[in-house]
Amino acid sequence: MANVPGGRTRARKATEEVQDLIDQFKEEVERDMNGGTAFSTFKAIEYRTQIVAGTNFFVRVEVDDGKYINMTIWMKFDQTVSLTGVQKD
């Protein structure tokens, strides 16, 4: 599927750039989702994007052996990013 405003892309294998993106929020996610304890793994597995007033990244992340979370990160056109959602898979 092409990047159409408002439409999500198909899931794709996570890239190094997506890993770098989620790593910016690792400590915040560990604090909020894991009581401040470090996850044994924090690896982006796959992602989708959605063009809005910038780009939403929907990333599936392996956080412990066989456990996953889903992160939503919004990247504005000026390349600033914010974590807009996290939930257990």
Side-chain angles (χ1 to χ4, degrees):
M1 171 192 239
N3 285 342
V4 177
R8 291 186 185 185
T9 61
R10 291 186 179 156
R12 295 173 278 188
K13 183 178 178 183
T15 63
E16 186 175 322
E17 291 79 15
V18 172
Q19 183 66 47
D20 291 344
L21 186 64
I22 69 165
D23 284 344
Q24 295 178 55
F25 301 101
K26 183 176 188 284
E27 289 181 13
E28 179 180 346
V29 171
E30 287 173 336
R31 183 182 64 243
D32 294 346
M33 301 288 292
N34 206 34
T37 304
F39 291 116
S40 62
T41 304
F42 197 76
K43 180 180 178 185
I45 302 298
E46 65 182 16
Y47 74 104
R48 301 173 78 149
T49 58
Q50 176 186 35
I51 305 298
V52 289
T55 303
N56 280 323
F57 288 82
F58 305 95
V59 187
R60 184 167 190 208
V61 181
E62 183 178 6
V63 293
D64 284 318
D65 195 27
K67 295 181 182 175
Y68 299 87
I69 61 171
N70 296 299
M71 296 175 65
T72 303
I73 299 169
W74 178 41
M75 180 182 288
K76 298 178 187 178
F77 291 123
D78 67 3
Q79 302 300 301
T80 58
V81 293
S82 58
L83 180 65
T84 59
V86 181
Q87 54 187 173
K88 292 180 181 180
D89 189 33

